[in-house]
Amino acid sequence: MSRAAVALVLGGPAEAPEILFIKRASREGDPWSGQMAFPGGRFDPADESERETAIRETEEEVGLSLGEAEFLGRIDDLRGRPTTPSGGIVVSAHVYSLPSPPPLAINDEVAEAFWFPLSDLLESGRQVQYNYPGHESMVFPGLVVGDPERHVVWGLTHRFLEIFLEITGHPLGTLPSDLDRL
């Protein structure tokens, strides 16, 4: 099975942290093309650990060095949908806090990168249903973190957010009944 790692990065002051999201660039052959995510990528045999993968990929994708960041911990690994002949990918998430993040510098793997207020994730109106493009019968829980037409977190990133918010004592609420906003 393939392995990958992402960095869930909190930036800004402790009383009003923001979370870093990227929108992946659209690329043929990339199963996560155009999706909202945390910075990260596939484990490289040169990496000593998945944590090192998250650090390396974050610097490559958004120009953010986590060397000065406080490492807060690792979230449980999650298994992604099968994307390889070996049957899937296991992704680990590593949480960092960076009180004064420098400006972001995205590379060609990233279409957009932005900070989003962590407290705003808990607003019930942000929880939506996400219909997988091209397969409208496949519906997933989603979270709007920007423009509703382009910035919906779903899938593994959504699951990592759920786990993180639960750990911090602020679980996401139940989905509202009017889910036709997208």
Side-chain angles (χ1 to χ4, degrees), residues 1-5 41-44 50 53 74 77 88-92:
M1 221 183 250
S2 298
R3 296 208 47 96
R42 292 190 186 273
F43 176 78
D44 185 302
E50 285 85 6
T53 299
R74 180 176 176 158
D77 292 354
I89 190 164
V90 174
V91 182
S92 61

Side-chain angles (χ1 to χ4, degrees), residues 58-79:
T58 300
E59 188 156 9
E60 288 175 9
E61 291 179 347
V62 296
L64 187 61
S65 172
L66 297 176
E68 299 296 316
E70 179 183 0
F71 177 64
L72 300 177
R74 180 176 176 158
I75 297 175
D76 293 341
D77 292 354
L78 295 176
R79 184 174 175 176

Side-chain angles (χ1 to χ4, degrees), residues 2 39 49 70 112 125 132 143 156 161 175 180:
S2 298
S49 65
E70 179 183 0
E112 296 177 60
Y132 189 70
L143 204 57
L156 282 178
L161 268 178
L175 288 172
D180 51 21

